């Protein structure tokens, strides 16, 4: 089982990398942890190719898939856009957070793959702030503001934190219904723990990176591993004995600075 995120195939160089991704064997699975592209058509282009190559593909949305850009012919917004992406994935045979959780029976299994879409709620606040308003003001002063503020509408919710709370409320019963004792791989575009944002160069950006409502899920739901992206800081961290894998490719200037590392990360299975 492999994972990747933040392919950002709207960039030509990233598009070429995505088009070169191949499994090592016919039975390989691939987790795609969000931010495939900025437009609906580019998301479909990438997922169609990946699904044709891997035995299973599991996708969760990132913030970029949820943007509604003026130049995108698909102008649906907010939750309607997310559900349109889910429908597109189902047409391709790609698993989503709205589908039955898949069970992986590899050498490290059995493990249930749990794709999550829970967004963020500004609770990872900027240092020295105690409210969303204070945290946003600190970010604007530092000129560190996520583009979501312009292009990620929360319709029909009044704001993104309301959408986040609704998603958490929808997700918890499904997590509670997991088979007792079964191990999981938790997959989210946004990191599930605040401590995972510590490597950020600009701590003000953390408020767009998750929610405290997911704290401890890796313990409660018996994670063998947790997969995320969004930060563009790929690597492995261990929290409470659980392996957290940040699997982003990132923008061309970022992966070039890292030495053009291979985009896929092995999550389970023999090396």
């Amino acid at each position: 089982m492999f994972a990747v995120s933040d392919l950002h195939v709207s960039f030509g160089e990233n598009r070429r990398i995505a088009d070169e991704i191949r499994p090592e064997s016919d039975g390989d699975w691939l987790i795609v942890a969000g931010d495939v592209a900025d437009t609906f058509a580019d998301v479909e282009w990438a997922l169609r190719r990946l699904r044709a190559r891997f035995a299973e593909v599991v996708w969760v949305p990132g913030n970029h898939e949820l943007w509604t850009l003026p130049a995108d012919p698909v102008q649906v917004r907010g939750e309607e856009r997310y559900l349109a992406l889910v429908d597109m994935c189902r047409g391709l045979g790609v698993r989503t957070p709205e589908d039955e959780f898949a069970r992986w029976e590899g050498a490290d299994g059995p493990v249930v793959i749990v794709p999550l879409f829970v967004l963020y709620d500004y609770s990872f606040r900027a240092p020295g702030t105690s409210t969303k308003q204070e945290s946003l003001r600190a970010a604007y002063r530092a000129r560190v503001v996520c583009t979501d503020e312009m292009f990620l509408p929360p319709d029909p919710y009044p704001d993104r934190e309301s959408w986040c709370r609704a998603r958490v409320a929808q997700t918890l019963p499904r997590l509670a219904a997991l088979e007792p004792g079964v191990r999981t791989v938790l997959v989210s575009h946004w990191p599930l723990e605040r401590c995972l944002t510590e490597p950020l160069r600009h701590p003000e950006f953390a408020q767009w990176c998750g929610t405290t409502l997911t704290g401890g899920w890796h313990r409660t739901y018996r994670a063998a591993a947790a997969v995320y992206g969004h930060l563009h800081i790929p690597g492995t961290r261990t929290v409470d004995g659980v392996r957290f894998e940040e699997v982003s490719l990132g923008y061309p200037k970022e992966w070039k600075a890292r030495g053009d590392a291979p985009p896929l990360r092995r999550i389970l299975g023999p090396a």
Side-chain angles (χ1 to χ4, degrees):
M1 181 181 297
F2 295 93
V4 69
S5 75
D6 298 81
L7 286 169
H8 294 291
V9 302
S10 301
F11 291 87
E13 292 167 295
N14 284 32
R15 195 178 188 91
R16 286 191 290 274
I17 289 176
D19 203 26
E20 292 170 0
I21 290 175
R22 297 291 190 281
E24 292 183 359
S25 68
D26 291 342
D28 288 350
W29 289 31
L30 179 64
I31 292 167
V32 183
D35 277 9
V36 175
D38 299 347
T39 66
F40 200 96
D42 280 346
V43 176
E44 183 174 10
W45 175 88
L47 291 178
R48 183 181 298 278
R49 278 159 173 74
L50 294 172
R51 182 64 186 92
R53 299 165 186 165
F54 286 82
E56 292 282 358
V57 174
V58 180
W59 166 86
V60 297
N63 52 313
H64 282 245
E65 284 102 332
L66 300 174
W67 285 1
T68 303
L69 299 177
D72 191 342
V74 179
Q75 284 292 296
V76 291
R77 296 161 54 93
E79 185 175 59
E80 186 179 1
R81 186 176 189 86
Y82 168 62
L83 294 176
L85 287 161
V86 168
D87 284 344
M88 178 266 287
C89 285
R90 286 173 170 169
L92 299 176
V94 172
R95 296 177 181 267
T96 80
E98 305 308 307
D99 298 316
E100 183 179 353
F101 298 150
R103 190 179 182 94
W104 187 78
E105 300 280 359
D108 298 322
V111 176
V112 173
I113 312 306
V114 181
L116 302 166
F117 170 43
V118 290
L119 262 169
Y120 56 87
D121 63 359
Y122 302 87
S123 56
F124 292 177
R125 294 186 179 122
T129 67
S130 58
T131 67
K132 173 189 174 182
Q133 291 72 25
E134 290 177 358
S135 189
L136 282 173
R137 283 197 295 269
Y140 276 92
R141 283 196 302 270
R143 297 183 179 181
V144 179
V145 180
C146 186
T147 310
D148 293 1
E149 295 298 316
M150 292 177 284
F151 295 130
L152 204 169
D155 309 19
Y157 298 93
D159 45 45
R160 281 178 288 277
E161 57 265 39
S162 297
W163 193 4
C164 171
R165 287 191 289 267
R167 288 300 311 179
V168 170
Q170 293 170 39
T171 301
L172 284 172
R174 299 191 68 199
L175 292 172
L178 285 165
E179 177 186 341
V182 70
R183 295 190 306 157
T184 63
V185 172
L186 302 179
V187 182
S188 172
H189 179 67
W190 295 272
L192 299 176
E193 293 288 328
R194 170 65 188 265
C195 66
L196 298 171
T197 69
E198 291 172 357
L200 286 171
R201 180 180 177 186
H202 299 288
E204 296 86 358
F205 190 76
Q207 61 197 294
W208 292 282
C209 294
T211 170
T212 57
L213 296 173
T214 61
W217 281 13
H218 60 289
R219 298 189 303 272
T220 303
Y221 303 111
R222 302 168 297 280
V227 176
Y228 66 105
H230 190 57
L231 305 185
H232 293 200
I233 310 174
T236 304
R237 295 191 67 183
T238 301
V239 181
D240 301 322
V242 175
R243 177 166 47 95
F244 280 76
E245 298 282 359
E246 209 279 15
V247 297
S248 57
L249 174 63
Y251 301 128
K253 66 179 181 181
E254 294 168 328
W255 55 259
K256 287 178 180 179
R258 298 194 304 266
D260 195 11
L264 296 188
R265 182 76 56 85
R266 187 185 302 269
I267 305 302
L268 294 175

